Amino acid sequence: KAECPGQLGNRHLTSFMQRHPLLAPLFAGLILRLVAAQFSTGYMMHDDHFLVVEAASSWIDGEDYNNWLPWNQSGTPAAKPANFTYVGSQFLVFSALEWMGIANPKAQMLWVRLLHGLFGCLTIVLGYLLSRALSPGQPKTAVHVAWMLAAGGLWPLLSVHQLVEMVSIPPLMLAFWMLAKQRDLGWKEILFAGIGIGIATGLRYQCGIIGLALAPVLILEGKWRELMGIGTTALVTFFVAQSPDLFVWGEPFVQLRGYIEYNQTHADNYPKGPWYQYLLTLLGLLIPPASIMLLWGAFHKGKSASVVWWRVLVPVAAFLVFHSAFINKQERFILPIVPALVALGAVGWQTWKDQSQWWSRRPRLHTSLWGVFWGVNLLVLPFTLTYEAKKSRVSAMSFLHDNNAHHFAMIQVDSGAMPPQFYSGTWGTYHTDNRRDGKGQDPLKVAAQWCTHPPEFLLFQGHQHLGEAVQAYKNAMPDIRYVTTIQAGRVDRWLSQLNPINSSERIMIYAVEDALPCP
């Protein structure tokens, strides 16, 4: 019986997808990242903006936002706790955007998010390849891993923001894939494994734990040549990644030493948590019940695990143990090893499930568990893809840019959040009046100190006691003129309700004009 054109086309499409199983999740992941790049504006946390965007973009304008550069420090210059490799790469990106005539801060950040999203698609490809290498007999599991990394949980959102932990994932995944490709490592596998570890460590110093933990695995295998090759390549690559120190300080590894010294001294000043905090993070990030299945699959194999399995599992476990033991605990720190953990977990779970008589009698239950995972994921995706992070702060600075303001004043009522000055388009002096916790001087006395750089606008930042601060300033300076109010984003408000440490605020903007008490 002859096939109709529609049936023939469907058969050819099915055959094509079977020959190229990675295309569908890769295409979906790309589309989701393009959507997130367009709609997920702003910044998610302090480090992905103030330690990356503000620093790199200020250098373009001849400024030094964090005073990291020695020639901008007074007295004896000292290295700040920074890593120039990643922020230096963003300096090159901003330089290229300026050269192309893209000067608007919002337009620049759209391009930056797009570039990060495209780079993040490598994680999908490498997650698939790593899964195939760990278990060549499970091609469907590898495709499932690709789908999880393409569209699972927060991955599209995280991929487009300026988190160095996310940027270090593709080189790490390259190294893991090379280590798992075959039992006997050839020179290509040795070379690219070393390059991947070196790049990841150059971007994020803590990734060096991966290389250190790999050493005893290769020693137990008796692969001394491979260990020396990977170690040498990783060290050379790391040195190249840290070469900006030679131009900035005139000697190598200055920033690394400064980073270590700072963390030894100030570790107590950052968030703390119990040793199992990152296990809870993984259970939530990977979305239950799949997260439980993945963690069980990654760590249960024991003596049945292959040699290549240990080359991935031991470094991943060492990274997790180190961060669980270290006093400074922030959820993003664990991100670099999560995609490798997903690959390990999916392959390990499927292997265990296939060998289990209990699961063989309950196929519908297994399908239902994954159905719950994807159902929850589909509910979460619309919110994460459109998350306008720190909306009120970013929009307030964009307002200043659109009105060509050079100076402004922040009246901090219930929140002391730093203004993301990059979006204002200027690095001019801004003033602050801290009225938090019932503090606050006479507005006339405070404003009199601003006369050397008079602000064009007053930005009242807060929520519960915002009206009181506004009224105090209006009583002291009746001529200030109300312009607009910028509300906090919906997700920002929700996150603040879940945990007050995530402050969200509305910002009321008043024009100053001639209201200041200046001569």
Short mmCIF file of all heavy atoms in Angstrom, two decimals, residues 279-297 370 373:
data_model
loop_
_atom_site.label_atom_id
_atom_site.label_comp_id
_atom_site.label_asym_id
_atom_site.label_seq_id
_atom_site.Cartn_x
_atom_site.Cartn_y
_atom_site.Cartn_z
N LEU A 279 23.55 19.18 50.13
CA LEU A 279 22.69 18.05 49.78
C LEU A 279 21.25 18.54 49.64
O LEU A 279 20.54 18.13 48.70
CB LEU A 279 22.78 16.95 50.83
CG LEU A 279 24.12 16.21 50.91
CD1 LEU A 279 24.09 15.20 52.05
CD2 LEU A 279 24.42 15.50 49.58
N LEU A 280 20.82 19.40 50.54
CA LEU A 280 19.49 19.98 50.43
C LEU A 280 19.37 20.86 49.18
O LEU A 280 18.33 20.86 48.51
CB LEU A 280 19.16 20.80 51.68
CG LEU A 280 19.15 20.05 53.01
CD1 LEU A 280 18.84 21.00 54.16
CD2 LEU A 280 18.14 18.91 52.97
N THR A 281 20.45 21.58 48.88
CA THR A 281 20.45 22.41 47.67
C THR A 281 20.27 21.55 46.43
O THR A 281 19.47 21.89 45.54
CB THR A 281 21.77 23.20 47.57
OG1 THR A 281 21.91 24.05 48.71
CG2 THR A 281 21.80 24.04 46.31
N LEU A 282 20.99 20.45 46.36
CA LEU A 282 20.89 19.56 45.20
C LEU A 282 19.50 18.93 45.12
O LEU A 282 18.95 18.79 44.02
CB LEU A 282 21.95 18.48 45.29
CG LEU A 282 23.40 18.94 45.09
CD1 LEU A 282 24.37 17.83 45.43
CD2 LEU A 282 23.62 19.41 43.65
N LEU A 283 18.93 18.56 46.25
CA LEU A 283 17.59 17.97 46.25
C LEU A 283 16.56 18.95 45.70
O LEU A 283 15.63 18.56 44.99
CB LEU A 283 17.20 17.53 47.66
CG LEU A 283 17.92 16.29 48.20
CD1 LEU A 283 17.57 16.08 49.67
CD2 LEU A 283 17.54 15.06 47.39
N GLY A 284 16.73 20.24 46.00
CA GLY A 284 15.80 21.23 45.49
C GLY A 284 16.09 21.64 44.07
O GLY A 284 15.18 21.76 43.24
N LEU A 285 17.36 21.86 43.75
CA LEU A 285 17.75 22.34 42.42
C LEU A 285 17.39 21.34 41.33
O LEU A 285 16.94 21.72 40.24
CB LEU A 285 19.25 22.62 42.40
CG LEU A 285 19.86 23.05 41.06
CD1 LEU A 285 19.29 24.40 40.62
CD2 LEU A 285 21.38 23.13 41.16
N LEU A 286 17.58 20.06 41.61
CA LEU A 286 17.33 19.03 40.61
C LEU A 286 15.87 18.56 40.61
O LEU A 286 15.51 17.69 39.82
CB LEU A 286 18.26 17.84 40.84
CG LEU A 286 19.75 18.16 40.72
CD1 LEU A 286 20.59 16.94 41.05
CD2 LEU A 286 20.08 18.68 39.33
N ILE A 287 15.05 19.14 41.45
CA ILE A 287 13.59 18.93 41.54
C ILE A 287 13.24 17.49 41.93
O ILE A 287 13.46 16.55 41.17
CB ILE A 287 12.89 19.29 40.21
CG1 ILE A 287 13.18 20.75 39.82
CG2 ILE A 287 11.38 19.08 40.34
CD1 ILE A 287 12.54 21.18 38.52
N PRO A 288 12.68 17.30 43.13
CA PRO A 288 12.23 15.97 43.52
C PRO A 288 10.99 15.57 42.69
O PRO A 288 10.28 16.44 42.20
CB PRO A 288 11.88 16.14 45.00
CG PRO A 288 11.77 17.60 45.23
CD PRO A 288 12.51 18.31 44.16
N PRO A 289 10.76 14.26 42.54
CA PRO A 289 11.52 13.13 43.10
C PRO A 289 12.77 12.77 42.29
O PRO A 289 13.53 11.91 42.69
CB PRO A 289 10.51 11.99 43.07
CG PRO A 289 9.67 12.30 41.87
CD PRO A 289 9.55 13.79 41.83
N ALA A 290 12.95 13.43 41.12
CA ALA A 290 14.09 13.09 40.28
C ALA A 290 15.41 13.33 41.00
O ALA A 290 16.37 12.58 40.81
CB ALA A 290 14.05 13.89 38.99
N SER A 291 15.48 14.37 41.84
CA SER A 291 16.73 14.67 42.54
C SER A 291 17.16 13.51 43.44
O SER A 291 18.34 13.18 43.51
CB SER A 291 16.58 15.95 43.35
OG SER A 291 15.50 15.85 44.27
N ILE A 292 16.19 12.87 44.11
CA ILE A 292 16.51 11.72 44.96
C ILE A 292 17.02 10.57 44.11
O ILE A 292 18.00 9.89 44.46
CB ILE A 292 15.27 11.30 45.77
CG1 ILE A 292 14.79 12.46 46.64
CG2 ILE A 292 15.56 10.06 46.61
CD1 ILE A 292 13.46 12.21 47.33
N MET A 293 16.38 10.34 42.97
CA MET A 293 16.78 9.26 42.07
C MET A 293 18.18 9.50 41.52
O MET A 293 19.01 8.59 41.44
CB MET A 293 15.77 9.15 40.93
CG MET A 293 14.35 8.81 41.41
SD MET A 293 13.05 9.37 40.28
CE MET A 293 13.35 8.33 38.86
N LEU A 294 18.48 10.75 41.17
CA LEU A 294 19.78 11.07 40.59
C LEU A 294 20.90 10.93 41.62
O LEU A 294 21.98 10.41 41.31
CB LEU A 294 19.76 12.49 40.01
CG LEU A 294 18.88 12.70 38.79
CD1 LEU A 294 18.79 14.18 38.44
CD2 LEU A 294 19.41 11.91 37.59
N LEU A 295 20.66 11.41 42.84
CA LEU A 295 21.70 11.28 43.87
C LEU A 295 21.95 9.82 44.21
O LEU A 295 23.09 9.40 44.41
CB LEU A 295 21.29 12.07 45.11
CG LEU A 295 21.34 13.60 44.99
CD1 LEU A 295 20.83 14.26 46.25
CD2 LEU A 295 22.75 14.08 44.68
N TRP A 296 20.88 9.04 44.29
CA TRP A 296 21.05 7.61 44.55
C TRP A 296 21.82 6.96 43.40
O TRP A 296 22.74 6.17 43.62
CB TRP A 296 19.69 6.95 44.71
CG TRP A 296 19.75 5.45 44.78
CD1 TRP A 296 19.51 4.57 43.77
CD2 TRP A 296 20.13 4.66 45.91
NE1 TRP A 296 19.69 3.28 44.19
CE2 TRP A 296 20.08 3.30 45.51
CE3 TRP A 296 20.50 4.95 47.21
CZ2 TRP A 296 20.38 2.25 46.37
CZ3 TRP A 296 20.80 3.91 48.07
CH2 TRP A 296 20.73 2.58 47.66
N GLY A 297 21.46 7.29 42.17
CA GLY A 297 22.13 6.70 41.02
C GLY A 297 23.60 7.04 40.95
O GLY A 297 24.42 6.21 40.53
N TRP A 370 9.07 10.31 36.84
CA TRP A 370 9.65 11.26 35.88
C TRP A 370 8.58 12.22 35.36
O TRP A 370 8.89 13.38 35.06
CB TRP A 370 10.29 10.50 34.72
CG TRP A 370 11.63 9.94 35.07
CD1 TRP A 370 11.97 8.63 35.19
CD2 TRP A 370 12.81 10.70 35.37
NE1 TRP A 370 13.29 8.51 35.55
CE2 TRP A 370 13.84 9.77 35.66
CE3 TRP A 370 13.11 12.05 35.43
CZ2 TRP A 370 15.13 10.16 36.00
CZ3 TRP A 370 14.40 12.45 35.78
CH2 TRP A 370 15.39 11.51 36.05
N PHE A 373 8.40 15.02 37.78
CA PHE A 373 9.54 15.92 37.59
C PHE A 373 9.27 16.90 36.45
O PHE A 373 9.43 18.12 36.60
CB PHE A 373 10.80 15.11 37.30
CG PHE A 373 11.93 15.91 36.73
CD1 PHE A 373 12.72 16.71 37.54
CD2 PHE A 373 12.21 15.89 35.36
CE1 PHE A 373 13.76 17.46 37.01
CE2 PHE A 373 13.24 16.63 34.83
CZ PHE A 373 14.02 17.42 35.65
#
